[in-house]
Amino acid sequence: MAETVVRRGERVRLGRVEGDLRAEDGAEVSAEEGGRVVVSGEARFEGSARLRSPFECRRLRVEHGEFEADGELRVEDRLRADDARVTLRGPLSVAALSVGPFLALGGPTSFETGDVGGVLEATAATTFRTLSVGGSLRASAPLKGGRLSVGGDARLAAVDLDGVEAGGEIQLGGGVVRETIEVGGVFSAREDLTFGNLEVGGTASFGAGGRGRRVEVGGVLSAARDLTVERLEVGGECVVGGSLTTGRTEVGGVLRVGGGLILSDHLEVGGRLEVAGDVVGPSAEIGGTLRARSARFTGAAEVAGPVRTSAGLRAASLKIANGSEVHGPVVGGTVEVGRHGRVETVFGTRVELGAHGQADRIVGGSVEVGADCRVGSIEYVRHLSLGRRVQLSRPAVQLATLPTPPR
Amino acid sequence: MAGDRPGTGPRTAVRRERTDLYASILEVIKRQPGTARITRISYGAGMPVDRLRSSLDRLVALGLVRRRELDRFTAYELTPRGQEFLTTYWKMRGYVALFGPPDGSGYV
C-alpha cells in the first residue's frame, strides 16, 4: 500500500491521502483549502504532532510525545497512543481507543471501548460502551454509556451509565447508574442519583437524594434528602436528612433520620436509632437508644437502651432491656420490661415489669410485676401477679375489658 | 516525643503513605488483568518507572502481585492475596472513616 511521508518538523497541507500516512517527530498537518484531511489507511505519528484541521483515517497510531488535534478527528477503527500524551480539542469518533499517560477530550466524543493508562480529562459530552482508566478521570460534561472502571479517583458531572467501579474515590454530579457502583474509598453524588447497587468500602454521601436497590457501605453513609432503597447495610453511621424508605436494614452504629423511617423488612441497629418523624416497620432490634416521634412495629421489637418517643412505641411483641428508661407511652401485645427498667405508661395484652422496675401506669389483660417494683397504678382484666415488696401508689383495679390505648 | 514511640508520629505517617501507595498500584494492576506492563502501571499510579519498579519488587515478594514473562514484555497481575489486601485495606478505610465527619450533629 502507498505511503505518504511527512518529514521531521515539516508543516504540510494535505487533502485525500490514498494508503498510509507516516509522520516523523514534530509534524504539523493542515487541510488544503480549509477542508479536511482524509487518509484511507493508517496514520502513524512517530513523535509529537499537531493536526490543525479536521482529520479522518482508518487507524491512528502515535508512538511517543505530544499529539494534538485542533479539529474534528474521525478514526474508523482504532486510535492507539500507548506512550504518548493526546490532546483533542474537537469532536472525536472512534471505535476503540488506547492511550497511555494522558488523554484530553475537548469536544463531544464517542467510542465503543476506551482504555487510558493514566489520566483522562473530558470537557465535553462523552459516550462509550466500556471505558477503563488506570489513574484518574475528570469529566466536567455528561458521561453516557456502559461500564466505567477507574483505578484511582473519578470526578464526574452528570452520568447515565450501566455501571461504575473505582478504586479510590468517585464524585459525581448525579444522574443514573443502572447496575452497580463499586467504590473502594469514598463515594459522593452532588445531585439526585438513581442507581442499582451501591457498594462502598469507606464513606458514601448524597448531596441530595438517592433511590436504588441495595446499599452496602463500610463506614459512613449520609444523604441530605430522601433515600429510598430495598436493602441497606452500613458498618458505621447512617445519617439521612429526609425520610428513609428501606427494606432489610442493618446499621452497625448510629442510624439518624431527619424525616420518617419506613421499613418493609427487619431493622437492626447496633447503636442508636434517632428519627425525627415516625418509624413504621415489621420488626426491629436496637442495640442502644431509640428516639422518635413514634415507633410502630407490626411484629417484634427489642430495645437495649433508653427509649424516648412523644407519640409512643408500639409493637406486637416488645422487649425493653434491663435498666432501660422509657419516656412516652408503650403499647404492645406482649410488653416485657427488664429488671431495673423505668416506664411511664404501658398498655399490653400481657405486661411484665422486671424486678426493681418503676412504672407510672400499667394497663394490661394480664400483668406481672416483679419484686421490689414501684408502680403508680395498675389496671388489669384477667390476671395480676405482684412480686414481693411491690409498692403501689393506688390499689390495683380489675376491669371488664381493656381500655383503648392511646393512638 | 510522639514520633519516638513505635506506631506513632512520623513512623505511622510513613507506613500509611506506603500502604496507600501499594493500594493504588494494586488497583491499577487489577484493572488490566494479566496484561499490566510497568509503563502502563506507572501512568495509572502516577509514579516514575524506576520508583515503581522497587514497589513492584516488594509487592511481588509479599505475594500480592505475580510477575509473568510474556513474549514481548513482563506483565504483572494481582494474586488472590493482593485482592485480599485491597478488600481489607478499603474495609479498614471504612472503619477509619467512622472517626471522622460527618458527626451528624442532629436532625432530631
Side-chain angles (χ1 to χ4, degrees):
Chain A
M1 189 178 270
E3 183 181 78
T4 302
V5 179
V6 181
R7 295 295 171 201
R8 187 181 184 86
E10 198 177 2
R11 293 181 177 187
V12 294
R13 285 186 178 276
L14 300 172
R16 182 169 177 87
V17 176
E18 293 300 335
D20 296 340
L21 172 72
R22 180 165 65 85
E24 295 175 0
D25 186 38
E28 202 173 296
V29 178
S30 305
E32 289 168 343
E33 297 166 7
R36 64 172 51 228
V37 180
V38 178
V39 177
S40 69
E42 179 182 79
R44 180 155 66 95
F45 296 87
E46 294 176 345
S48 294
R50 184 160 186 176
L51 305 180
R52 291 197 167 275
S53 307
F55 191 93
E56 211 175 308
C57 62
R58 182 179 291 276
R59 285 182 303 279
L60 192 147
R61 188 167 172 189
V62 186
E63 293 180 353
H64 298 284
E66 301 267 348
F67 180 83
E68 296 173 76
D70 297 337
E72 184 187 8
L73 182 61
R74 280 192 204 168
V75 182
E76 197 179 311
D77 185 9
R78 186 181 190 86
L79 187 166
R80 188 164 179 185
D82 289 338
D83 295 299
R85 292 172 62 87
V86 176
T87 301
L88 307 178
R89 299 189 180 86
L92 167 68
S93 71
V94 59
L97 66 85
S98 170
V99 176
F102 177 79
L103 172 63
L105 299 170
T109 295
S110 70
F111 54 87
E112 284 287 303
T113 59
D115 178 13
V116 178
V119 176
L120 170 57
E121 292 178 0
T123 52
T126 304
T127 305
F128 57 86
R129 190 164 55 79
T130 62
L131 172 59
S132 171
V133 180
S136 63
L137 168 60
R138 306 276 177 274
S140 56
L143 284 187
K144 184 173 182 179
R147 305 194 65 81
L148 169 66
S149 171
V150 182
D153 298 342
R155 284 175 174 67
L156 314 176
V159 298
D160 179 353
L161 299 171
D162 288 340
V164 184
E165 183 200 355
E169 181 174 346
I170 291 180
Q171 290 179 17
L172 54 82
V176 179
V177 179
R178 283 170 287 280
E179 294 165 16
T180 298
I181 303 169
E182 190 182 342
V183 191
V186 177
F187 168 82
S188 66
R190 288 185 299 279
E191 305 293 338
D192 284 333
L193 182 73
T194 302
F195 56 93
N197 302 323
L198 175 65
E199 297 171 16
V200 182
T203 65
S205 66
F206 293 86
R211 177 179 285 271
R213 289 195 296 273
R214 187 167 54 83
V215 173
E216 272 182 64
V217 177
V220 178
L221 169 68
S222 65
R225 296 189 203 141
D226 295 349
L227 185 64
T228 301
V229 294
E230 294 172 12
R231 184 178 167 88
L232 179 63
E233 283 178 46
V234 180
E237 189 175 75
C238 178
V239 181
V240 178
S243 291
L244 173 61
T245 304
T246 172
R248 186 173 175 83
T249 298
E250 292 172 37
V251 177
V254 177
L255 172 57
R256 188 176 287 132
V257 181
L261 172 58
I262 301 159
L263 299 147
S264 58
D265 205 333
H266 185 67
L267 168 68
E268 211 174 312
V269 179
R272 292 197 309 275
L273 172 64
E274 297 181 0
V275 180
D278 304 313
V279 181
V280 180
S283 58
E285 285 174 66
I286 314 297
T289 303
L290 164 60
R291 284 178 64 184
R293 184 165 61 198
S294 75
R296 184 180 291 232
F297 300 99
T298 52
E302 281 185 49
V303 185
V307 176
R308 183 178 287 273
T309 65
S310 53
L313 168 62
R314 184 185 288 254
S317 162
L318 182 61
K319 278 188 184 174
I320 307 288
N322 293 345
S324 288
E325 192 168 337
V326 180
H327 293 279
V330 172
V331 180
T334 302
V335 180
E336 292 177 35
V337 180
R339 295 162 63 88
H340 296 279
R342 294 173 65 180
V343 291
E344 293 173 347
T345 304
V346 183
F347 286 78
T349 311
R350 189 168 72 82
V351 179
E352 281 181 39
L353 180 62
H356 302 279
Q358 291 181 42
D360 294 344
R361 183 186 176 202
I362 298 175
V363 181
S366 165
V367 176
E368 197 173 311
V369 179
D372 299 302
C373 285
R374 286 187 292 164
V375 181
S377 68
I378 298 176
E379 294 147 74
Y380 69 99
V381 177
R382 293 185 304 280
H383 173 75
L384 172 64
S385 164
L386 297 177
R388 286 176 296 171
R389 298 179 297 280
V390 169
Q391 297 176 38
L392 294 177
S393 303
R394 287 183 292 280
V397 176
Q398 187 166 20
L399 305 171
T401 55
L402 275 172
T404 307
R407 297 192 66 79
Chain B
M1 250 164 67
D4 294 333
R5 285 184 283 124
T8 62
R11 187 177 292 187
T12 305
V14 168
R15 189 175 301 135
R16 181 176 145 66
E17 277 176 17
R18 192 171 298 156
T19 310
D20 295 340
L21 188 68
Y22 286 166
S24 66
I25 294 169
L26 293 173
E27 285 289 355
V28 174
I29 295 172
K30 181 182 165 183
R31 274 159 185 80
Q32 296 167 69
T35 61
R37 288 183 304 140
I38 193 164
T39 46
R40 198 74 165 178
I41 302 167
S42 82
Y43 298 147
M47 290 173 71
V49 168
D50 53 349
R51 208 174 132 218
L52 176 63
R53 201 179 299 279
S54 63
S55 294
L56 284 171
D57 288 345
R58 182 80 176 130
L59 289 169
V60 169
L62 291 169
L64 304 178
V65 166
R66 186 180 299 126
R67 193 181 271 126
R68 293 174 64 209
E69 298 300 332
L70 301 181
D71 282 352
R72 290 184 301 154
F73 60 91
T74 302
Y76 294 86
E77 66 182 7
L78 211 61
T79 63
R81 189 171 151 79
Q83 180 55 58
E84 193 181 327
F85 168 87
L86 276 179
T87 305
T88 308
Y89 170 83
W90 290 118
K91 199 166 190 175
M92 191 63 208
R93 288 280 296 262
Y95 281 111
V96 170
L98 291 178
F99 302 107
D103 172 50
S105 49
Y107 291 106
V108 179

